[in-house]
Amino acid sequence: MIKKLARSIREYKLFTILTPILMIGEVSCECVIPMITAKLINAIEAGTGMQEITKYGLILVLMALISLAFGALAGITCATASSGFAKNLRKDLFYRVQGFSFSNIDRFSTSSLVTRMTTDITNVQMAFMMIIRIAVRAPLMLIFATIMGAVVGKKLALIFCCIIPLLAFGLGFVIYNAMPLFKKAFKRYDTLNNSIQENIKGMRVVKSFVREEHEKEKFNGASGAVADVFTKAEKFVAFNNPFMQTAVYTSMILLSIFTSYFVVSTGGTYLEVGTLASMLTYSMQILMSLMMLSMIFVMISISVASAKRIVEVLEEESDIKQAENAVTEVKDGSIDFENVSFKYSEKAEVFALEDIDLNIRSGETIGIIGGTGSSKTTLIQLISRLYDVTQGCVKVGGVDVRDYDLTTLRDQVAVVLQKNVLFSGTIKENLRWGNPEATDEEIERICKLAQASEFIESFPDRYDTYIEQGGSNVSGGQKQRLCIARALLKKPKILILDDSTSAVDTKTDALLRAAFKTEIPGTTKLIIAQRISSVQDADRIIVMENGKIDGIGTHEELLSHNEIYKEVYYSQVKGGEDDE
């Protein structure tokens, strides 16, 4: 796990190495200062002259300045290293997710991935920062201060030997009880994020059904669950501070008593007055370093759970493997399904698609119709290799899709999904997803074909109109037409329309189909639709039922011999007559 995470340090290795080196310098100076202070006090007590006092004073000022310089530089290098590490880790995680197939993404919920890229990475960043700085400083301070205490205080250093095991016991108690609770907390975070995400995405539905109170209760439940776990964990962590403070003050009292005794009883021959001041400083340094160590262990306890969740994503191998010597050219838009069966998970008992044999010629317009759950969308997702078939093979241009370079294949397959997605940015920026090199004139021409130019021209900023996240400031029909324009700009060999004209009227739907014939006549077009009118002019229509092909033919052929198609057609025709 550590090796996996360490790969994200990369260009920040120098800063990562410099930080502990600078901390060694800072700690060394801090541990020497009390000893010089003791010598200064002893010199004053002995009645030395100003020359000696000035010498010790200048040494103290110099050591303080050097310590300050080391500390300041360590702060800068630590901040640079930890922020850079988090940036790289977030990038690695995001890039990893981009390479996942849909089946990989299905294994992680969206809310869980968001938590891993935000909260979990922040926790790991904090732990990394503490490890390269405080985790170096605290043990060094503990060792150096103990050695210096033994040199200066002699037998008094035994007090530290008694206090340190007690502190270690207290720290072990906190970690043993708190760590399992912190692990549990992050699973609760996933539930909380899922509640927030669902609510924001479905806000229109929530308000339409007046379910705000229900959503509030659900959120409060998830939020309360997180709070309960953290409260339990913090109850154990809370023992840490008073326990440490008790040890600090007990140590100071014991040092004061025994140092005073030795100074008075021996007349300053065994220990001098300055020793008391230096020993108190060393005791504070030792005990503060132990408190720092306890903080480090608590933070690491939290971050270990986060680190494991991050590494889970980094170690997840995409189910879609790039072929060696991959084909880098798609000859044409022909599609062949050969004995294809598919299920979403190896553990699934039922196939989503079964025994699909289908041959589509390049340039054909194919309609796909079927009831909800008939696996129409599943069928087209196999073409651009969003999923891999479980059995059989899918060929595009006569080549198995698994033999193509993924970028090459997907560049030649444009998909307008059922759930249309627009991204934050201007209309032009969204359309240029289809073709980054498209000119303004080409964009305007395509938008006319996609029946989008009329509403775009009505906006004050026209093609520079800013689209809000998810396209929330345009209607469903406008969003669909923009997505169709984006697909047309791509000029693919295969165009897939997954119920992507459901939000437009029949007239606009007909104009769009006419545009496809004139603009991309050589492109294979697959149109998934609920309306018979959207597919009845297709070269052939596929009727899907329960993951199988129930019938293939023209509109007239299916009307004559396919019961499912006839039922859908007459129900829609009758509905249309009733409306009139």
Side-chain angles (χ1 to χ4, degrees), residues 13 75 211 258-259 312 352 500 509 522:
K13 281 182 182 176
R211 296 285 285 175
F258 285 107
T259 304
E312 276 179 5
S500 54
D509 189 9

Side-chain angles (χ1 to χ4, degrees), residues 36-57 60 272-274 277:
I36 297 170
T37 304
K39 290 183 178 181
L40 175 60
I41 293 170
N42 292 334
I44 293 170
E45 186 190 17
T48 189
M50 282 301 296
Q51 185 177 356
E52 190 75 7
I53 293 171
T54 303
K55 182 184 78 173
Y56 282 123
L60 283 172
E272 297 175 288
V273 175

Side-chain angles (χ1 to χ4, degrees), residues 450-471:
Q451 309 304 308
S453 61
E454 185 177 346
F455 74 81
I456 293 173
E457 295 290 346
S458 69
F459 296 145
D461 296 325
R462 299 175 69 246
Y463 289 87
D464 291 316
T465 299
Y466 190 82
I467 299 294
E468 301 293 341
Q469 185 180 22

